[in-house]
Every structure is written in structure tokens, then in C-alpha cells.
Amino acid sequence: MDQKEKKLLNNLKIILKTKKEAITILNNYFKGGVGKSKLSSMFAYIADKFNLKVLMIDKDLQGTLTKDLAKTFKFNDPRKNFYEGLKNGNLTTSIVHLTENLDLIPATFDLMLLPKLTRSWTFENESKLLSELLKPIKKNYDLIIIDTVPTPSVYTNNAIVASDYVMIPLQAEEESTNNIQNYISYLLDLQEQFNPNLDMVGFVPYLVNTSSSTIKANLEELYSEHKEDNLVFKNIIKRSNRISTWSKNGITENKGYDKKVLSMYEKVFLEMIERIIHLEEEK
Ligand SMILES: Nc1ncnc2c1ncn2[C@@H]1O[C@H](COP(=O)(O)OP(=O)(O)OP(=O)(O)O)[C@@H](O)[C@H]1O
Ligand SMILES: [Mg+2]
């Protein structure tokens, strides 16, 4: 870690000290397969390395994040699964420890029952469920990072209402301004109703095919469209075979390209921290 990065993490610690509770970050967008869950699991690994106390929450019944973390870290099932925790109004027994710094609320297929549980509730109570249950837990962490599904649903509504910041990974070569605008409108609607403090950190471009020139042109277009709001991350994620290997065998740091790929995610993580610090200072 260089001086600038150390300073950044120090500044974050200072902000957290006054806040006295975790900053909650959501990785989400209404598009599947854009690397949201991978970003979440890499953030877990990196935050742990940087000695931040982190709670990861997997609110996707497919459990992509949970399965991915299980390749790198050892953990048992929680005493009560995530759905039971939500149902009983207590999430503490749904948390498992991965390392000294890193905790996880693993996904469970029972999350499938959530829409049924909340069917007769008001929209407000339903949307605020996760947020309310995180309140007593937030003081135990520096960051809470939520991963969820790419569709409008009780899962995403809960995650959006429980978050301070949204990170929006998108596939630069395929994305349209219209889709982005629709997603932002969705966020704004929930922000207005239930979570006035919600803010966007920005868009993280995910490039699947880095060689084609049209893709570079699309990325340039995305940057120029957001020149004024500065929402597009300078650091981007590129497709890498290392990631597929890590998905099978867990993250390593001493094989070919390990350092390069890890550093690609570290740069995005640190840019996120830098952007959050700016946003916090503006508050
Ligand atoms: N940088 C990368 N390089 C190579 N493969 C990647 C990279 N990031 C993600 N992948 C792979 O792409 C696939 C989709 O990624 P991921 O599950 O993170 O997407 P997602 O946005 O969470 O999808 P969903 O919306 O379905 O939850 C996975 O197989 C994942 O391992
Ligand atoms: Mg996912």
C-alpha cells in the first residue's frame, strides 16, 4: 500500500469514528451478469486485507457471493438462516465469522419465502425490514456490503433502503443511457420515500471484451456523458481468466497475474473509498 492509499484509509477511519457506525454499500444494477457479486466478494477479500471490519450480506437466494467466499474462507452455517433472522426480527444469529475482520450473512434458498412473509405488510414496513434489523448491528462494523438480485423486488428494495451508498457495475459495451436513467429513477423513488441519505458512488465499468475499438468508443461515450456529474469510475474492471480460476479454487496471491488482477479490484475499492470520503465531507 502506498502513502496515498494509507492516507485514504486513515481518513475513512476518522469519518467512521465520528459516525460510530458502519457505512453501508450496495453493489447493484438491474442487469444480470455484470460482475456485481464478484465485485462484492473481491471487496470482502480486500477490505479484510486492509483491516477494515466488514459485514457482507448476501441477499440473493442463488447465493453467488456466499459460494464464492466459501472457496477462499472456511465457515459453518449460521445458527439461524438469513430468512429465519428476517422473520424473527434478529439478524445476529444469522452472522458467521470468516476472519477476525470479516463476517457474512450467508444467503439461503429460504429467502424465496420472503415475498410471502411480507405480502400483507405495508410497502414501507416491507421495504424497511433489513434496514431496521441492521440498526443494532451497524456499530460493530466499518463497512456493510450488500449483494442482491438484478431485478426490482422486495430483495432489492430492502437493500436500497438499508444502504448509504450504491455502486453500479455496468457492462460499458452494452449499456444504454435509458437503462441507466431507469435504474436511477428507481433509486430516487425509494430514496424519496424511505431513505433520504442514499447516494450513488458511481458506475464501475466492466469490460468483457477489451480489444475491440467500438467498446473503447462506448466507454469514451459513457465518460463524456457523465463528465459533469463525474459518476463513472476512472478505474475499471476487465474480464480476466484469473477470476475464473479464483472462482473454482479460491483467491491466491502468488501465481501468475494474481497481483495484477487483485490490484485491478483494489484500485476500484480505493476509488470507492475516495469517492465516499468526498461525499461524506459534503454532508
Ligand atoms: N473480472 C472478471 N473476469 C472474468 N470473469 C468474471 C469477472 N467478473 C465476474 N466474472 C464472472 O462472470 C460471471 C457473472 O459474474 P457475477 O456473478 O459477479 O455477476 P452478477 O452481476 O452478480 O450476476 P447476477 O445479476 O446474476 O447476480 C461469473 O461467472 C463470474 O465469475
Ligand atoms: Mg450476483
Side-chain angles (χ1 to χ4, degrees), residues 186-199:
Y186 195 90
L187 291 179
L188 288 176
D189 183 43
L190 285 169
Q191 179 206 46
E192 199 175 298
Q193 293 188 73
F194 311 124
N195 187 9
N197 289 324
L198 183 72
D199 229 324

Side-chain angles (χ1 to χ4, degrees), residues 32-38 40 58 60 62 64-65 147-150:
V34 293
K36 298 182 296 294
S37 298
K38 185 54 81 175
S40 301
D58 190 354
D60 178 348
Q62 289 194 60
T64 314
L65 170 66
D147 187 58
T148 188
V149 297

Side-chain angles (χ1 to χ4, degrees), residues 144-179:
I144 297 177
I145 300 176
I146 309 176
D147 187 58
T148 188
V149 297
T151 43
S153 56
V154 56
Y155 309 102
T156 38
N157 293 350
N158 262 250
I160 292 166
V161 173
S163 296
D164 302 306
Y165 294 104
V166 187
M167 294 276 288
I168 306 172
L170 43 86
Q171 209 173 313
E173 55 260 59
E174 284 193 347
E175 215 31 78
S176 72
T177 316
N178 215 352
N179 282 351

